Amino acid sequence: MRAALADPSVPFEIITVGTWHMSAQIAERYRSGRTFLVGDAAHRFPPTGGLGLNTGAVDAQNLAWKLAAVTDGRAGAGILGTYDAERRGNAETMVSFATRVGSYYQPRNRATEMVRDVVFRSVQRIPGAREYILQMKYKPVPRYRTGIVVGGATNDKNSPVGRMFGQPSVQTADGVRVRLDDAIGHGFAVLGLTGDPARHIHDAHAG
């Protein structure tokens, strides 16, 4: 126990010992009238990977800009209904993933524990594999299948709609290379890959 604390000189006393059982829960809905559930109030994750904290932060970001847009009069209250549609499905995916990862740390018996340890030690010897695991690059990539961003629901597995994309480096009109987020700034932006997207935006939809 002292070695596990990384400092054998640290004094401590064991008061009691209990058994922890991994579990997870997701609320049936994230909204009831004017009340919204965010973070741990909306979903309870196993503590593997810190995914509950990350998911809660994205919950807050998703709801915050919509509330701000409605209270400022820049959007109708209908967009608040997309919070549940966009976030609960993502939480279900991440809870399922965190539960599977947690099962590796809670083996059924001594034999499966030994197999797990051998696999983890072997993977660390593969170049790049250690960083791949530590950064959890194997976790599911969030995707919206419905909501304000997607518009209509889509089940096409190959569709880029609703998916995150990489952070590219772009060149400004002054010839300076910057990250796309730095070039766009806060708020929304319409990007054109092969031309000026303004040509396709009617005046009635501009602004």
Side-chain angles (χ1 to χ4, degrees):
M1 286 293 294
R2 292 183 186 275
L5 294 173
D7 186 355
S9 66
V10 175
F12 69 91
E13 178 184 1
I14 298 177
I15 304 299
T16 185
V17 176
T19 302
W20 172 74
H21 296 282
M22 183 174 61
S23 62
Q25 294 175 316
I26 299 178
E28 293 182 357
R29 60 183 184 276
Y30 280 15
R31 178 188 183 184
S32 179
R34 295 169 61 87
T35 302
F36 295 85
L37 300 181
V38 177
D40 288 349
H43 41 70
R44 185 160 64 90
F45 278 65
T48 47
L51 297 175
L53 174 61
N54 293 342
T55 304
V58 181
D59 289 345
Q61 186 274 339
N62 184 288
L63 181 59
W65 76 261
K66 293 174 181 176
L67 286 172
V70 172
T71 56
D72 290 346
R74 293 180 287 110
I79 69 169
L80 299 177
T82 64
Y83 168 62
D84 183 289
E86 292 178 351
R87 293 305 305 150
R88 193 152 53 85
N90 179 254
E92 291 171 351
T93 299
M94 299 309 291
V95 162
S96 176
F97 171 74
T99 301
R100 290 198 304 273
V101 172
S103 66
Y104 300 145
Y105 297 94
Q106 195 176 29
R108 298 184 181 88
N109 50 53
R110 180 59 180 168
T112 56
E113 181 181 358
M114 293 176 64
V115 171
R116 177 204 63 189
D117 292 347
V118 169
V119 171
F120 282 178
R121 292 193 185 100
S122 300
V123 168
Q124 292 188 39
R125 296 190 177 95
I126 302 175
R130 177 181 175 84
E131 187 68 15
Y132 181 82
I133 293 176
L134 291 177
Q135 296 296 328
M136 297 188 71
K137 295 181 179 180
Y138 52 89
K139 68 179 183 293
V141 178
R143 180 187 181 188
Y144 292 152
R145 298 184 182 277
T146 186
I148 191 173
V149 176
V150 177
T154 175
N155 293 316
D156 184 357
K157 294 182 179 180
N158 297 319
S159 173
V161 177
R163 298 180 184 274
M164 297 177 64
F165 66 93
Q167 173 70 268
S169 174
V170 297
Q171 182 172 308
T172 66
D174 299 330
V176 179
R177 302 293 298 186
V178 297
R179 294 284 188 178
L180 179 61
D181 281 355
D182 294 329
I184 293 176
H186 299 290
F188 295 96
V190 178
L191 304 179
L193 300 180
T194 58
D196 186 356
R199 295 187 293 109
H200 305 283
I201 301 177
H202 190 275
D203 290 341
H205 301 103

